[in-house]
Amino acid sequence: MSPRCGPSSLPLVSQRILHLDAFSGAAGNMFMGALLDLGLSRKALLEGLAPLGLEFKLVVKRVDRNGFAARYVDVRVPVSEAKRKAEKKAHGHAKSPSAHGHSHSDDHGHEHGHGHSHAGAHGHGRKYAEIRDLIAGSKLGADVRDRSLAIFEVLGRAEAKVHGAKLEDVHFHEVGAVDAIVDVVAAAVGLELLGVDRVTCSPVAIGHGTIASDHGLLPLPAPATLELLVGLPTVPAGVAWETLTPTGAAILKTVVDEFGVLPAMTVEKVGYGAGNDRPGHLPNVLRATLGRSGGLSGDRVVCIETNLDDLIPEHFDYLMERLFEEGALDVSLQHLQMKKNRPGFLVRVLAKPMDRDKLARILFAESTAIGVRVAEWDRLILERSNQKLKTPLGTVSVKLIRSPEGELECSPEYDDCKRLARKHGIPLRQVVERVREQARRDFAE
């Protein structure tokens, strides 16, 4: 994961934001290419990948995609001459692979490393458990290691569900596994080296049609990709080829903090990561914008509300809990005077647009609502960060907020303060004051 702020590096005045325009989808090598095009050092990236101890070559080229200059990355893995001849015979290749090894960025960047439930399907390869142990046992930095493991876990779980297998038994081709490992870990390394604090992404464009696989023709998006898209916003790409690969989907699902339009930021750099050249009007690139936010930033929220004249008041507590559990940003209840002079309530929920439908379903299930109103609003927000603060009374979560003028405000978590007040027999207001004073000292610049 990207480094989270601590007392000495609190990114409240300015956060580095990476925004991805996935108008042509994404693949692992496209994500890596976009980061390199933003200025990520190839040498530093290779040094960051070195602790894996894998043998591969990173070929980076400048290419043209429908008029866009972009960076194309090919992960090449050495293979033996005997294996190369066997693959050539099996697949009927017209010419041998590169002398540098086997190339794995065919089509859009469609990886050969798709999972399989049967360990015996290939003479060589790695199971998910082996890849997990490789990454966990390496000398990668803690944040890079944890983020890499998280990406591979969501990828493995998607493959396991599609094939009806256990996660531990998901199998990756020998070469494809190296390709996927490099793509995944490079994403984590690149985000850390570029100092990215927050990742946002547009809705992901999805192609249609079919693609060849070891299991025959598969519909697009590929089954594992579609599984990874659960909960993510998508739009049609209008092209009959694979725009989003499983590895690309796993990276987006894990590293993206929010899906939506380009957030408020001062743009620093723009980069393009290329997939293979494809015919048609759509440039096969992933655009990445790197910038910094100021004291004020903006996003989009959805407002879901309903008027109720028969809500049982004591049930609202449970309704609020369920809404927050499923991602609501805020929930409020207002008194109303409704038709026929009946007293009633306005229930209002603020949420991320992608959570609209599931929160509406909770309103229908847990209240007497038979209809809800929905609207999207622009929201201006101050930079904030949630931190754990160790105090003499105990550990407390603290929300740190920076005003546009640079002043720091500290808001201790109520439930934590209440717990410590009961534990130590101290008035709640004294606990809050002590925590707030210590937070101001510890987190001051």
Side-chain angles (χ1 to χ4, degrees), residues 8 23 70 205 227 231 301 306 355:
S8 60
F23 60 83
E227 185 63 35
V301 294
T306 185
D355 293 330

Side-chain angles (χ1 to χ4, degrees), residues 334-351:
Q334 302 174 35
H335 289 277
L336 298 176
Q337 199 72 16
M338 298 177 64
K339 63 184 180 181
K340 298 184 180 178
N341 212 31
R342 290 196 296 262
F345 299 97
L346 167 66
V347 180
R348 175 174 288 165
V349 183
L350 297 182

Side-chain angles (χ1 to χ4, degrees), residues 232-288:
L232 304 188
T234 66
V235 293
V239 293
W241 40 270
E242 182 181 48
T243 58
L244 182 67
T245 67
T247 301
I251 291 171
L252 295 184
K253 193 175 185 74
T254 308
V255 309
V256 173
D257 297 294
E258 184 172 0
F259 287 86
V261 297
L262 180 75
M265 68 162 78
T266 299
V267 175
E268 295 178 337
K269 297 179 180 178
V270 180
Y272 295 87
N276 273 27
D277 198 9
R278 304 305 299 261
H281 63 283
L282 187 67
N284 193 13
V285 296
L286 174 66
R287 182 168 69 176

Side-chain angles (χ1 to χ4, degrees), residues 95-114:
K95 55 182 179 180
S96 299
S98 164
H100 295 296
H102 200 114
S103 173
H104 309 294
S105 299
D106 61 325
D107 291 333
H108 182 67
H110 184 72
E111 300 90 346
H112 290 288
H114 286 185

